Amino acid sequence: MSRPLYDRPILARHQTGLMNKFSRVASMQPQTHVDGVPVQTLIEAYGSPLFVFSEKTIVARYRELRDAFARRFSKVRVAWSYKTNYLDAICRVLHREGAWAEVVSEFEWEKARHNGVPGERIHLNGPLKTEATLRRVLPEGTLIHIDNFDELALLERLADELHLTPKVALRVNLAVESIPAWSRFGFNLESGQAMTAANRILTGKRLDLVGLHCHLGTFILDPASYREQASKLAGLANELRRAHGAIMSFLDIGGGFASRSKLKAQYLPGEQASPSFDRYAAACAEGMAALDYPAGSEPTIVLESGRALVDDSGTLLSTVIANKRMPDGQRGLVVDAGVNVLFTSFWYDHDVVPAQPFGGISEPTVMYGPLCMNIDVVRDTIQFPPMRAGDQVVFRNVGAYNVTQWMQFITYRPAVVIIGADGRHGIIRKREQLETLLASEEVPSWL
Amino acid sequence: MSAPLTVAVTGLNATDNPGPGVGVIRSLRHCRDDVRVVGLAYDALEPGVYADGLVSDVFLIPYPSQGIDPLRDRLSYIRERTGFDVIIPTLDAELPGFVELAPELAAQGVGTLLPTREQLDLRCKAKLAALGDKGLPVPASRVLTDVTQLYAIHEVIPFPIVVKGPYYGARVAHTLEEAVAAFYKMVGEWGYPVIVQQFVAGQELCVCAVGDGEGGLVGAVQMRKTVITDKGKGWAGVAIRDPGLSQLTATFMSATRWRGPCELEVIRDADGGYHVLEVNPRFPAWCFLSAGAGMNLPYAVAELAAGRELSPLHDYRVGTMFVRIALDQISDMDAFSRMSTAGEVVRSHGVAR
Amino acid sequence: MQRLRDLAISDTGFVFDPFSGATYTVNGTAQCLLDGLKRGLDRDGLVALLRERFECSDEDLPRDIDDLVQSLRMFGLVPGGFEVGR
């Protein structure tokens, strides 16, 4: 008779509330492949840790979003939110699908132009628009979403100087029940500030008001919030039509749709808590029904999605460095990807699974990153099976914000690869090395 | 007499804040010897696991926070072992998962009688105001995501207020300090958002009702709490009949086209006005009163979920009381050991078919 | 080692500590080590026992033994200063 295979000895104390062995672990399946490519192959080819993007998933999510809205609105535009992930390859997948660009700095605008997006297909948003930036982008016809009165005045002056009539949109903030208002951006609706700004633009005639824009917030789990937002935005458009006869060519409902990630403060996992694009679209359509425009002049509905488009397409492969037994009895697992590359782990409980088949009893585990910093915890308390040094883990749904908010700290930033729809894979950002960093450093002659 | 029915029931946590499972099971077994019950538990120490006169087999299932895939796998295993025909989930937080799985379960021949996801969202605590739009009297409420929103809450809802979690939990706060403490307690336990509701004084009445999903009422039993625990739970109650409450129940059913069991928690104020405090999308823990008073709603749900013809439902006897007792069950280490290592206790002999 | 000897361990890996009333789950290798510790085996003896009962490849068995002993110390099942004999 053959002997059983060895696995690490584990003595787990029973605790009320933690005694359910049929938790996620029981049906936790190893993720050995990403889009058909073995994790092992990817790590060997590109190193660890490693971000891997799925072209197939990006395209599928884009089409799902577009179609959900296109079923309900005659004209729909998706403007890809550059800050979510501005790697050229990712942006080009989305532009190829027809996405415009939504940028919030001159750097992002340059990136979009570099990716072949014409200036007039870029929405320039956010509080950072310097005179130099505006002088550069206005002649190219970029749509400016005005944030404040100083910017409005600056635009009017530049319009005169450059003999242009810039196309502008009004960024509006408004109150929606159950969501903290993002009142720092744009003009407030309820206080009448937005109407004042619109009146000034429409009577001043130096700017061409073509759109209204509101961005509710981030990771909004309740589609009804968009119903309320859309109906308020439609209300403002109706008012402008009555007062000035102005017809907007677009109404921009911003972004904020949830991905499959799970916020730390959330009880149910993303797959149950996060609404489908269809439910968001239905809610928007109900709210937009309030719009009173003549037939044939329906505005384009603009979506500035980022996270919801790309989060589910990104995975992070990471390697186990060590196991530790913590004084409180928990197991500590040190992996080579920390908060330096997985910045979003400050807010989200990321879904993480082993990359190879596993057995044995799962234990409460804390997952630490490689930094010499106490805050470097990528997952606090998760039931996780035994792992050996050198094994790999896969963090799922981490495609949003990480490859833009990551930091070069203590170690190099890892490579990023994409797997094509046909299974080909290739690098889209090289792993940093000493030369990468030295390239922007200088040592003065006296040192 | 039709073939015996095997019904899986969750919510065996019959603690001092009891889950409804034991009440549902006792109802199913009331005057019936053709029902086999499979208990579904989340923890090896849920008291109902040890009630071997009630539940023949018990299985652990994954927590709702673990997602849909583990639940699907586990249910399919339990179905192989026990061949259950119907599932009656009884806990708020597990309902989204079961609602999502319902079509798959139906395809495998497992019946449920559950509301739709939209109905579930409509009555969720954060949305109670939406029921107001449908013609139901609801107290003023606000949904908060930030503790600072409490500072000005008295301008819209004067103290005392009730601070509630998104799934469970409610505390009356008389001052801002109490409200802030309650806010953090709710967030710590259940996450965001937190709901603040106007406190309404009056008699606490409850309705256990079953909707047919077409706007009609299958049956309903009304109850007034006569003993209330420090957690606000009814520890004793009496079946009543209040025409106003009957009207309210009918309005709720036709407005929402509710499918399956639910509980309406209502306050009748001194002026005879009604205020719907909450709609729970499942049976209440006191639902055994419905069987005891002659209108067995859990059994009706099991029949409807199994796709059977409904046995005639008789009207209930007003004045029937329930008085809960706490009693200590005795168990050896064996059942606990099997629950904590194998995750199941099978007292019957496999599939009874 | 009386606490260890008093533990009631079932075939399924369920452990009951009659002293504290606490219960635990152990896997096969931990059960085997508890067995060896009760018999007073030293480190080499425990390693040999594991190799005899399980298919071990290149595992670092002494490290795993120390990890289990640390758990036993934390749960008070062995005295605070307990170390496996060499």
Side-chain angles (χ1 to χ4, degrees):
Chain A
M1 205 174 113
S2 70
R3 293 170 298 173
L5 272 181
Y6 178 87
D7 61 345
R8 292 181 81 150
I10 286 166
L11 172 81
R13 181 160 55 178
H14 296 157
Q15 285 168 279
T16 308
L18 291 174
M19 287 175 54
N20 189 330
K21 55 186 282 176
F22 300 97
S23 56
R24 197 163 201 107
V25 186
S27 69
M28 190 188 260
Q29 299 293 323
Q31 183 176 342
T32 55
H33 291 66
V34 183
D35 270 12
V37 184
V39 167
Q40 210 52 47
T41 307
L42 291 165
I43 297 260
E44 276 162 22
Y46 307 104
S48 173
L50 179 70
F51 275 104
V52 183
F53 283 87
S54 159
E55 183 183 345
K56 209 159 58 181
T57 307
I58 301 174
V59 170
R61 288 292 281 172
Y62 178 88
R63 292 181 185 172
E64 189 191 335
L65 175 68
R66 182 198 57 197
D67 294 349
F69 280 82
R71 277 195 293 277
R72 297 174 170 89
F73 297 99
S74 57
K75 287 178 277 181
V76 177
R77 172 191 313 157
V78 179
W80 167 238
S81 156
Y82 259 54
K83 64 182 172 296
T84 314
N85 184 329
Y86 38 61
L87 291 178
D88 286 348
I90 303 293
C91 296
R92 285 178 198 211
V93 170
L94 289 156
H95 294 318
R96 193 187 62 200
E97 288 294 311
W100 290 27
E102 187 261 333
V103 303
V104 291
S105 69
E106 190 169 346
F107 156 66
E108 289 188 356
W109 185 87
E110 286 171 339
K111 266 270 198 181
R113 292 291 295 114
H114 166 74
N115 284 323
V117 183
E120 70 268 15
R121 288 187 164 221
I122 301 176
H123 292 261
L124 176 57
N125 235 321
L128 178 67
K129 305 184 196 85
T130 64
E131 178 169 343
T133 303
L134 290 172
R135 281 184 182 279
R136 179 156 175 214
V137 308
L138 285 179
E140 300 218 27
T142 293
L143 296 153
I144 313 294
H145 292 219
I146 307 175
D147 180 72
N148 56 64
F149 282 109
D150 284 340
E151 188 181 308
L152 175 49
L154 173 62
L155 277 165
E156 287 172 342
R157 176 161 65 77
L158 290 176
D160 285 345
E161 274 182 39
L162 300 171
H163 307 292
L164 290 167
T165 312
K167 283 186 174 6
V168 299
L170 202 62
R171 168 95 181 235
V172 173
N173 67 67
L174 46 81
V176 161
E177 198 189 1
S178 85
I179 295 179
W182 277 25
S183 41
R184 65 160 284 195
F185 301 111
F187 301 90
N188 183 254
L189 180 74
E190 288 82 10
S191 67
Q193 200 181 35
M195 201 57 201
T196 307
N199 286 339
R200 171 163 166 175
I201 299 170
L202 288 166
T203 52
K205 309 269 184 219
R206 281 176 289 186
L207 307 173
D208 183 11
L209 184 64
V210 292
L212 301 176
H213 168 212
C214 172
H215 183 95
L216 279 181
T218 188
F219 218 80
I220 291 162
L221 289 165
D222 185 358
S225 303
Y226 288 92
R227 185 187 309 131
E228 207 178 331
Q229 178 214 33
S231 109
K232 287 193 167 188
L233 215 50
L236 178 60
N238 291 343
E239 225 176 309
L240 295 180
R241 182 184 168 211
R242 271 194 297 275
H244 301 276
I247 295 282
M248 298 297 116
S249 74
F250 72 85
L251 293 180
D252 183 340
I253 59 162
F257 299 162
S259 69
R260 288 199 146 207
S261 283
K262 178 182 161 298
L263 281 171
K264 283 189 186 291
Q266 200 176 311
Y267 182 70
L268 287 177
E271 63 207 33
Q272 284 179 57
S274 301
S276 62
F277 285 148
D278 209 58
R279 290 183 62 205
Y280 284 121
C284 279
E286 286 173 34
M288 278 296 173
L291 185 67
D292 178 23
Y293 267 26
S297 60
E298 289 81 11
T300 301
I301 299 301
V302 178
L303 304 162
E304 295 181 352
S305 297
R307 183 193 309 282
L309 282 179
V310 83
D311 208 23
D312 304 353
S313 73
T315 46
L316 172 64
L317 313 181
S318 176
T319 303
V320 174
I321 299 172
N323 282 283
K324 307 187 87 157
R325 179 66 54 190
M326 310 314 293
D328 62 359
Q330 286 201 95
R331 187 157 52 101
L333 197 64
V334 187
V335 299
D336 66 1
V339 295
N340 52 329
V341 296
L342 201 59
F343 200 76
T344 51
S345 55
F346 284 123
W347 301 285
Y348 293 90
D349 280 338
H350 286 305
D351 180 19
V352 56
V353 297
Q356 51 282 312
F358 56 85
I361 301 179
S362 292
E363 286 185 277
T365 302
V366 193
M367 222 173 263
Y368 297 110
L371 304 183
C372 207
M373 302 283 287
N374 208 35
I375 55 158
D376 190 17
V377 179
V378 285
R379 216 25 236 273
D380 44 20
T381 316
I382 174 176
Q383 284 281 336
F384 213 71
M387 303 286 289
R388 303 184 209 202
D391 282 350
Q392 266 97 33
V393 296
V394 181
F395 291 90
R396 301 193 274 214
N397 308 331
V398 294
Y401 291 100
N402 283 307
V403 300
T404 49
Q405 290 186 325
W406 57 2
M407 47 190 156
Q408 191 278 309
F409 178 55
I410 294 189
T411 183
Y412 302 118
R413 283 179 285 197
V416 184
V417 302
I418 193 165
I419 300 178
D422 57 1
R424 272 183 301 183
H425 47 91
I427 209 149
I428 61 177
R429 191 180 196 275
K430 287 184 215 154
R431 179 176 186 271
E432 289 174 345
Q433 47 190 351
L434 188 58
E435 290 70 31
T436 325
L437 304 180
L438 294 184
S440 43
E441 280 192 46
E442 285 191 20
V443 180
S445 58
W446 66 89
L447 291 175
Chain B
M1 200 78 205
S2 44
L5 205 54
T6 301
V7 184
V9 180
T10 68
L12 305 185
N13 50 326
T15 60
D16 61 341
N17 180 9
V22 168
V24 170
I25 293 167
R26 291 192 68 210
S27 304
L28 293 174
R29 290 189 171 284
H30 190 65
C31 308
R32 299 271 173 186
D33 47 16
D34 59 342
V35 177
R36 192 163 143 262
V37 175
V38 176
L40 305 176
Y42 289 101
D43 192 278
L45 274 178
E46 289 188 13
V49 172
Y50 302 92
D52 59 4
L54 285 179
V55 191
S56 26
D57 307 335
V58 195
F59 293 82
L60 282 183
I61 56 171
Y63 283 107
S65 59
Q66 304 293 323
I68 209 85
D69 295 335
L71 179 64
R72 177 190 292 114
D73 293 354
R74 186 66 180 154
L75 288 179
S76 121
Y77 167 82
I78 299 169
R79 168 123 163 102
E80 263 171 45
R81 293 290 308 276
T82 65
F84 58 78
D85 308 294
V86 165
I87 300 188
I88 304 183
T90 68
L91 303 172
D92 292 15
E94 70 188 3
L95 281 168
F98 279 102
V99 167
E100 195 178 326
L101 276 183
E104 284 178 50
L105 289 168
Q108 297 161 22
V110 177
T112 51
L113 193 73
L114 296 171
T116 63
R117 180 63 197 245
E118 284 68 30
Q119 289 170 337
L120 208 54
D121 288 351
L122 179 70
R123 48 60 46 196
C124 87
K125 295 189 188 186
K127 288 298 185 43
L128 205 61
L131 287 178
D133 303 340
K134 291 190 179 276
L136 287 152
V138 292
S141 70
R142 282 288 182 281
V143 181
L144 314 187
T145 47
D146 189 322
V147 72
T148 58
Q149 293 172 287
L150 277 176
Y151 299 151
I153 200 75
H154 61 275
E155 291 169 12
V156 262
I157 308 175
F159 282 101
I161 58 176
V162 187
V163 181
K164 297 178 161 190
Y167 295 104
Y168 302 101
R171 279 187 160 195
V172 177
H174 297 86
T175 63
L176 178 61
E177 288 70 28
E178 285 176 14
V180 169
F183 181 96
Y184 283 118
K185 185 172 162 57
M186 295 306 154
V187 170
E189 237 168 299
W190 299 105
Y192 289 97
V194 169
I195 298 102
V196 166
Q197 206 172 64
Q198 172 199 348
F199 176 82
V200 191
Q203 276 188 328
E204 292 191 33
L205 311 178
C206 296
V207 186
C208 173
V210 176
D212 63 5
E214 311 279 323
L217 181 69
V218 175
V221 174
Q222 301 174 4
M223 181 271 283
R224 181 173 73 83
K225 295 177 185 175
T226 50
V227 179
I228 296 173
T229 67
D230 54 358
K231 288 187 176 165
K233 302 289 157 186
W235 196 256
V238 59
I240 58 163
R241 182 168 294 115
D242 172 338
L245 205 49
S246 307
Q247 185 52 49
L248 196 67
T249 310
T251 306
F252 173 76
M253 290 299 166
S254 61
T256 61
R257 303 172 75 80
W258 191 265
R259 184 167 186 270
C262 66
E263 180 193 27
L264 306 180
E265 293 184 30
V266 181
I267 295 276
R268 187 175 58 204
D269 65 27
D271 306 327
Y274 297 90
H275 309 265
V276 179
L277 295 188
E278 216 161 278
V279 178
N280 297 312
R282 34 96 189 147
F283 278 117
W286 58 270
C287 64
F288 183 57
L289 179 67
S290 80
M295 183 190 271
N296 194 334
L297 294 173
Y299 191 78
V301 164
E303 283 183 315
L304 290 172
R308 296 187 181 185
E309 198 177 323
L310 191 63
S311 309
L313 269 184
H314 304 290
D315 203 356
Y316 63 94
R317 290 179 294 278
V318 172
T320 310
M321 291 172 57
F322 81 90
V323 185
R324 200 168 278 168
I325 59 168
L327 57 85
D328 301 350
Q329 305 178 101
I330 299 302
S331 172
D332 58 20
M333 195 55 87
D334 183 55
F336 176 62
S337 148
R338 282 187 282 157
M339 278 304 278
S340 41
T341 54
E344 60 185 70
V345 176
V346 178
R347 302 186 182 102
S348 72
H349 300 284
V351 180
R353 300 225 128 199
Chain C
M1 303 303 279
Q2 196 54 44
R3 288 279 298 277
L4 267 194
R5 276 191 284 273
D6 287 345
L7 290 181
I9 307 178
S10 77
D11 298 341
T12 54
F14 178 81
V15 181
F16 173 61
D17 175 7
F19 177 79
S20 67
T23 57
Y24 306 84
T25 298
V26 287
N27 60 356
T29 48
Q31 200 169 341
C32 167
L33 285 175
L34 288 178
D35 195 27
L37 286 166
K38 283 199 249 182
R39 283 155 48 193
L41 295 185
D42 63 5
R43 189 180 303 265
D44 291 345
L46 292 173
V47 169
L49 188 65
L50 285 174
R51 291 202 183 283
E52 176 196 319
R53 295 207 196 156
F54 295 91
E55 195 69 53
C56 307
S57 48
D58 55 346
E59 308 290 340
D60 185 344
L61 299 182
R63 176 201 64 194
D64 291 357
I65 291 168
D66 286 339
D67 187 50
L68 184 81
V69 169
Q70 196 193 328
S71 297
L72 292 173
R73 278 199 300 262
M74 273 173 333
F75 299 141
L77 294 171
V78 294
F82 177 81
E83 285 282 344
V84 185
R86 286 178 191 272

